[in-house]
Amino acid sequence: MAHHHEHARHGHGKATWRMAASATLHCLTGCAIGEVLGLVIATALGWGDVPSIALAVVLAFFFGYLLTLMPLRRAGVGWGSAIKLALAADTVSILVMEIVDNGVMLAVPGAMDAALTSVLFWGALAFSLAVAFVVTTPVNKWIIGKGRGHAVVHAYHQ
């Protein structure tokens, strides 16, 4: 496993679209949990766009990192190393995803002001996450090909 980990870290493996899509789906899961929870809370509280997006982004990073930390901890990785690995694996992917999905939410007229019971709110949110997945997948493919991103935790998922 150590050899495989070093191999992935140094970018000597070939990054496939399947690997990139898998890493992006993992990232999307954490981001979606955070985005939905953040926007639901902020909308229910009647917050404006800036605090709504801030809460959604903070929660997206929290849940994105958490979904990487949990398997690392189960694999016996200590907290310090697990946190460093999660930061290295997910930061760029979550950042790109958050910029794209929040940008789409802001671009869809009325989406940020729509009620939680509205098709507009949920449709725009689903659309924004789908666009973020499409945009982030090639970014993850490039990052994994460089031995970064999810390549740094791949050995622990074996």
Side-chain angles (χ1 to χ4, degrees):
M1 183 161 80
H3 173 72
H4 178 76
H5 180 61
E6 287 300 311
H7 183 76
R9 283 187 48 203
H10 289 54
H12 299 297
K14 180 168 174 21
T16 65
W17 283 108
R18 185 172 184 221
M19 291 168 59
S22 176
T24 306
L25 186 58
H26 170 90
C27 179
L28 179 68
T29 302
C31 287
I33 293 168
E35 282 291 319
V36 169
L37 188 58
L39 291 178
V40 165
I41 290 169
T43 301
L45 295 174
W47 290 4
D49 291 354
V50 172
S52 296
I53 290 173
L55 178 61
V57 168
V58 167
L59 291 175
F61 272 92
F62 173 79
F63 285 104
Y65 290 140
L66 184 65
L67 291 180
T68 296
L69 281 172
M70 291 183 331
L72 290 172
R73 292 290 296 142
R74 278 194 300 268
V77 178
W79 277 108
S81 294
I83 290 169
K84 288 177 187 173
L85 285 166
L87 291 172
D90 292 331
T91 300
V92 172
S93 183
I94 295 171
L95 182 63
V96 170
M97 192 161 286
E98 286 304 295
I99 290 168
V100 172
D101 76 57
N102 284 292
V104 170
M105 282 298 288
L106 287 168
V108 173
M112 292 297 292
D113 298 320
L116 293 177
T117 55
S118 135
V119 172
L120 175 61
F121 176 82
W122 293 104
L125 185 56
F127 177 68
S128 73
L129 292 169
V131 172
F133 178 84
V134 169
V135 171
T136 307
T137 298
V139 173
N140 278 331
K141 185 177 185 298
W142 180 77
I143 292 169
I144 291 167
K146 298 289 184 189
R148 306 273 188 242
H150 267 259
V152 300
V153 297
H154 182 72
Y156 296 98
H157 294 288
Q158 301 301 315

